[in-house]
Amino acid sequence: MNSRYFRNNGAVGAILDEYEKSIDELIKITQGISHEELIYIVDSQTEDEDCKSIQTILTHIISSGYNYVIVIRKWLGESIAYKEKSVLNSLEEYQVALREMFEFNELLFKDYPNLQLSEHSPSKKIKVRWGQLYDIEQLFEHAIVHILRHRRQIEKFKVMLISNLDE
């Protein structure tokens, strides 16, 4: 994204700008990661299969990014299957997949230009699989912070990789 470009469609524009910025930052911090570093099990102690390597984290980010929008589409009445995790073999493939995932998110607002972002009534909120209730704006905010938290995790993994791969 060009840093001088801002979408001009209010809250939706802000959400999409920040979402794209979080993906840009994630891609930037993954630049230069070798295939060996991508697949290396950095955290062998965790029970979370999505957080063992940079590869598992990126795989998780992409499937989650699709599935946040899919849960909204289901809530809107669409019959659509959740996105399965797809393990990719290179950093370049992950970068392309991150951009495609973002485009899928953007498409929601093209398909539903009058989508109500904010809802105060719990009965009009979306219940996600972990039990939380979100309106659309909150779910997108969660999706953005999800990327930021995993970006931070990858930054920490990169530091750990330097010492682990030097041994």
Side-chain angles (χ1 to χ4, degrees):
M1 179 176 96
N2 179 338
S3 62
R4 293 177 187 239
Y5 171 80
F6 293 96
R7 291 171 178 87
N8 289 322
N9 48 340
V12 169
I15 287 168
L16 291 174
D17 284 351
E18 291 303 318
Y19 203 162
E20 189 171 30
K21 181 181 175 186
S22 71
I23 292 169
D24 289 344
E25 290 172 355
L26 176 63
I27 289 171
K28 184 177 179 181
I29 66 109
T30 60
Q31 293 294 337
I33 291 174
S34 69
H35 181 73
E36 180 184 28
E37 292 167 327
L38 178 69
I39 65 172
Y40 186 83
I41 304 299
V42 179
D43 188 350
S44 59
Q45 303 303 310
T46 185
E47 293 182 17
D48 187 344
E49 293 298 319
D50 294 329
C51 295
K52 291 186 176 290
S53 69
I54 294 172
Q55 183 180 44
T56 62
I57 294 168
L58 292 173
T59 299
H60 167 69
I61 289 170
I62 292 165
S63 70
S64 295
Y66 277 101
N67 288 331
Y68 294 138
V69 172
I70 290 170
V71 78
I72 294 169
R73 288 180 175 276
K74 285 178 169 288
W75 178 76
L76 291 167
E78 290 186 32
S79 178
I80 183 172
Y82 286 108
K83 176 95 168 147
E84 295 294 323
K85 289 180 187 166
S86 180
V87 178
L88 304 175
N89 296 312
S90 73
L91 190 57
E92 293 75 21
E93 288 177 301
Y94 278 106
Q95 292 169 348
V96 168
L98 284 162
R99 296 274 182 228
E100 290 172 346
M101 178 270 291
F102 176 74
E103 289 171 7
F104 183 76
N105 278 263
E106 214 174 14
L107 185 59
L108 175 73
F109 297 105
K110 291 176 183 170
D111 291 345
Y112 296 92
N114 299 315
L115 201 53
Q116 179 69 33
L117 295 181
S118 181
E119 291 289 352
H120 297 286
S121 172
S123 66
K124 294 182 178 179
K125 294 198 181 223
I126 303 162
K127 187 173 185 176
V128 292
R129 65 176 170 73
W130 57 93
Q132 185 71 36
L133 293 175
Y134 291 105
D135 60 27
I136 292 168
E137 184 172 26
Q138 291 168 323
L139 191 53
F140 268 90
E141 289 168 350
H142 174 83
I144 293 165
V145 172
H146 182 252
I147 291 172
L148 297 177
R149 288 188 346 225
H150 284 301
R151 185 210 67 219
R152 178 181 175 273
Q153 184 181 26
I154 291 171
E155 288 172 327
K156 289 173 70 176
F157 273 24
K158 285 175 65 175
V159 170
M160 295 167 71
L161 277 166
I162 291 168
S163 61
N164 289 340
L165 291 176
D166 285 343
E167 292 176 356

